[in-house]
Amino acid sequence: MDSRSGPGRVSSAAPPEVARLHQAAQIEPYLRDEAGLLEGHAQAVLLPASEAQAAEVLRWAVETGTAVTLSGGGTGLTGARVPAGGVVLATDRLRSVQRAGSGESVAIAAPDHEGNYTIALGQDQGGPWARVPCGLPLALLHGLLAERGLWYPPDPTEAAAFAGGTFATNAAGSRGLRYGRTADWVLALRAVLMGGELLEVRRGACAADRGQLDLPLAERRRISVPTYGLPACKHSAGYAAGEDLDLVDLLLGSEGTLALLTEATLRLAPAPAAILSAAFFLASEAAALALVEAAQGKGLAPLSLEYLDRGSLELIAASGGAELPSGAAAAVLVEVEIRQGALEQAAEPWVELASEHEEVATWAGDDRATQARLKQLRHALPEAVNQVLRRYRQPKVATDLAVPRSAFGAMMEEYRRVMQAFRERCAPRSEPATVLFGHIGEQHLHLNLIPSCAADLELARRLSLEAARRAVELGGTISAEHGCGRKRFVDRDGRERPWIALMRTDAELDQMARVKHGFDPQHLLGRDVLLPAAELDARIAPEVRR
């Protein structure tokens, strides 16, 4: 690990010399994310082309008291990249790593023809690794690694997501069941703090001691890290915690509120031979859920295990996303690893389970056409939902809840209650009003309530909040992989609160505020993300007075 200062301090408060967008039409695409829940406003969008330029922007922001919102690929669902004033620092042009080091510098052609991306690939005693810039679309990285027989397992559904966005949310995707989250594959990070200081840290080199962490900077800065408990399930809501917390883990999942993550060194693995298959169930969703429970009871360990309810299948079919078996009540998609070419051996336990649980049809096969059809099925649903929302001109209302395995049955009851309540009271429409799908092997499903009018939207927001409260009651989390962003709710006393307050006490929110203040004393970075600025200022005031 080492620490380096950024470029020399500028002598005036003049805006940095970086590419900028300032006309309304140019800025407009950066004022929302994929969910469309919020519409932001900003003075300008700044597009640094290097880490040094990004440091200049963050130094200038501190000198002028300018709020900065970080923006990646725009695929988020929580409003974290939506600015509430100030400027947007967009990472579109942060395409190259600083150096190859002991690895090989590799160029990746950019689809937009605005210049290549560069990453570094290498191998050491720990195995293969890649050093990647935050502005790299993850799909390009996966494609390059596949050509070399390598694999970076985190695989969020949205292929256009930037690597930096997945670092900021500690994303996982469908293969989290076997391979965990982004944090499990990050060896080192480079980051720029507000004020322009550069932070470079390797995992294991900087950890908290009894809740106190010294940042590896030229001037000593001690941070009190959170020590609250974490849910016993997949989780990405608020800052990481632990008395011996690693600095790498604190930065990952911080949603652009602590630092700009400019690049990461990722652990890689040999690409496994794997196939997808799908089982469709005619009788009811209960048969599909019983198959999942039986698989877990037998200790089967697929690469991924995904669930689609009846509404999901009907919406995919209506959108033309795939030709599906008629009348199916639910589907389970499983991705299994083929060891030593033994396809039949890998698939056999799943075929037996499907036949025992009222399965109506199976899509299976290692031929290219079948695998392409299954991959299309897995990725078609989010776009089908977005198509409907665009037609109704409504934002997305979707949950990201997860609970411990022992509580999943109770959570499914809550999902059914919420979906029934929404369908009974929402405006009539031709397509399904609710869909429930996602990473069932981790008890992590995404409930989408699809509004067609303002009244539907209000109802969807209220019911999704009720589902979130129930998940917390069951020992779960309000966010398993998307983060909390700028989502708000109105509590029973009529106060607007951040979503993180659903699962954190006031004392625990104070711990989060102290972390934020330690990294960003002026509270300028990611303003209103996670903790609203006014609440953050109020919580940290006693600390400042000391």
Side-chain angles (χ1 to χ4, degrees):
M1 172 191 65
D2 63 28
S3 168
R4 306 178 186 183
S5 60
R9 190 175 182 82
V10 295
S11 58
S12 72
E17 294 294 326
V18 301
R20 67 179 54 226
L21 307 175
H22 53 79
Q23 296 179 0
Q26 295 174 315
I27 294 175
E28 193 271 337
Y30 294 88
L31 302 183
R32 61 182 183 276
D33 65 4
E34 189 71 23
L37 287 168
L38 302 167
E39 191 73 19
H41 60 97
Q43 302 165 16
V45 175
L46 305 182
L47 294 137
S50 67
E51 189 177 75
Q53 286 190 351
E56 290 177 11
V57 171
L58 298 184
R59 187 179 302 109
W60 164 81
V62 166
E63 291 179 343
T64 59
T66 302
V68 177
T69 300
L70 304 180
S71 173
T75 62
L77 299 173
T78 66
R81 66 101 70 161
V82 178
V87 299
V88 172
L89 190 163
T91 60
D92 305 44
R93 301 187 184 183
L94 293 176
R95 299 182 166 200
S96 299
V97 295
Q98 296 296 302
R99 65 196 187 287
S102 59
E104 168 196 4
S105 181
V106 178
I108 305 175
D112 57 12
H113 306 294
E114 291 186 3
N116 290 339
Y117 297 87
T118 63
I119 72 171
L121 290 176
Q123 181 148 347
D124 56 26
Q125 60 185 8
W129 54 263
R131 188 174 298 121
V132 305
C134 66
L136 174 69
L138 209 58
L140 293 183
L141 174 64
H142 285 309
L144 176 77
L145 295 178
E147 294 172 0
R148 290 162 167 76
L150 295 172
W151 203 35
Y152 172 59
D155 184 27
T157 302
E158 181 50 70
F162 285 8
T166 68
F167 304 152
T169 57
N170 196 12
S174 61
R175 291 172 181 149
L177 176 61
R178 172 82 72 88
Y179 294 99
R181 302 176 299 166
T182 292
D184 298 306
W185 295 86
V186 174
L187 300 173
L189 289 171
R190 285 174 68 94
V192 182
L193 307 185
M194 289 302 291
E197 293 175 285
L198 175 64
L199 188 67
E200 184 171 12
V201 61
R202 290 195 64 82
R203 179 174 294 282
C206 183
D209 180 12
R210 289 172 290 185
Q212 300 297 308
L213 190 151
D214 291 318
L215 298 184
L217 301 170
E219 293 186 11
R220 183 170 180 261
R221 195 188 307 184
R222 172 162 287 187
I223 305 292
S224 294
V225 303
T227 55
Y228 44 65
L230 299 176
C233 61
K234 184 179 180 182
H235 169 60
S236 183
Y239 300 136
E243 291 198 344
D244 58 351
L245 182 66
D246 195 291
L247 177 55
V248 169
D249 290 319
L250 178 59
L251 292 171
L252 293 170
S254 58
E255 299 192 52
T257 63
L258 302 183
L260 166 64
L261 305 180
T262 56
E263 65 182 63
T265 303
L266 309 175
R267 181 168 61 92
L268 306 178
I275 62 163
L276 271 170
S277 61
F280 297 89
F281 299 85
L282 185 60
S284 69
E285 69 174 20
L289 299 175
L291 178 143
V292 172
E293 186 174 353
Q296 292 174 329
K298 290 177 179 292
L300 297 179
L303 300 182
S304 64
L305 190 61
E306 305 289 291
Y307 173 77
L308 300 169
D309 77 342
R310 184 191 298 273
S312 302
L313 297 175
E314 290 177 353
L315 191 59
I316 291 171
S319 70
E323 295 280 344
L324 300 176
S326 176
V332 173
L333 281 70
V334 59
E335 185 177 22
V336 296
E337 183 177 0
I338 305 170
R339 298 181 184 273
Q340 299 177 341
L343 172 60
E344 292 185 3
Q345 183 178 351
E348 182 178 1
W350 296 97
V351 172
E352 290 179 357
L353 279 177
S355 65
E356 293 169 3
H357 291 88
E358 304 177 66
E359 160 235 22
V360 65
T362 299
W363 288 2
D366 59 351
D367 60 284
R368 184 173 299 178
T370 300
Q371 288 302 295
R373 182 167 60 156
L374 285 160
K375 289 176 181 177
Q376 180 185 16
L377 174 62
R378 185 161 70 176
H379 292 285
L381 183 57
E383 180 53 33
V385 172
N386 291 342
Q387 285 179 11
V388 175
L389 292 172
R390 284 193 290 267
R391 189 168 77 246
Y392 290 130
R393 298 183 180 180
Q394 294 294 325
K396 176 175 286 191
V397 181
T399 70
D400 183 37
L401 313 175
V403 296
R405 182 178 169 186
S406 60
F408 186 60
M411 195 66 219
M412 281 299 298
E413 291 179 4
E414 176 68 5
Y415 287 137
R416 294 186 191 103
R417 182 194 70 81
V418 166
M419 289 190 291
Q420 181 176 351
F422 186 74
R423 288 193 295 262
E424 288 176 349
R425 297 179 56 188
C426 71
R429 75 280 302 278
S430 58
E431 68 285 308
T434 67
V435 298
L436 182 65
F437 68 99
H439 319 307
I440 195 167
E442 299 173 279
Q443 299 77 235
H444 172 208
L445 297 181
H446 300 299
L447 170 63
N448 282 231
L449 304 176
I450 304 174
S452 64
C453 60
D456 284 359
L457 179 59
E458 181 180 356
L459 175 63
R461 286 172 167 166
R462 178 174 65 77
L463 289 172
S464 64
L465 180 63
E466 291 176 7
R469 285 198 174 104
R470 181 59 174 150
V472 174
E473 289 174 359
L474 293 170
T477 179
I478 58 173
S479 176
E481 64 179 348
H482 294 160
C484 299
R486 292 177 59 206
K487 293 171 70 175
R488 304 284 185 264
F489 71 96
V490 177
D491 69 12
R492 294 180 175 90
D493 296 325
R495 298 178 301 166
E496 186 178 83
R497 302 298 310 282
W499 259 56
I500 190 64
L502 288 168
M503 60 184 298
R504 291 291 167 216
T505 66
D506 276 339
E508 292 169 341
L509 294 175
D510 286 344
Q511 292 183 35
M512 289 181 57
R514 285 194 289 270
V515 172
K516 167 66 173 172
H517 185 74
F519 278 86
D520 176 20
Q522 292 180 255
H523 309 161
L524 296 173
L525 187 63
R527 196 161 175 82
D528 285 335
V529 174
L530 277 179
L531 294 174
E535 180 170 341
L536 176 62
D537 293 342
R539 288 185 179 280
I540 208 64
E543 298 296 317
V544 174
R545 285 197 295 269
R546 287 179 196 162

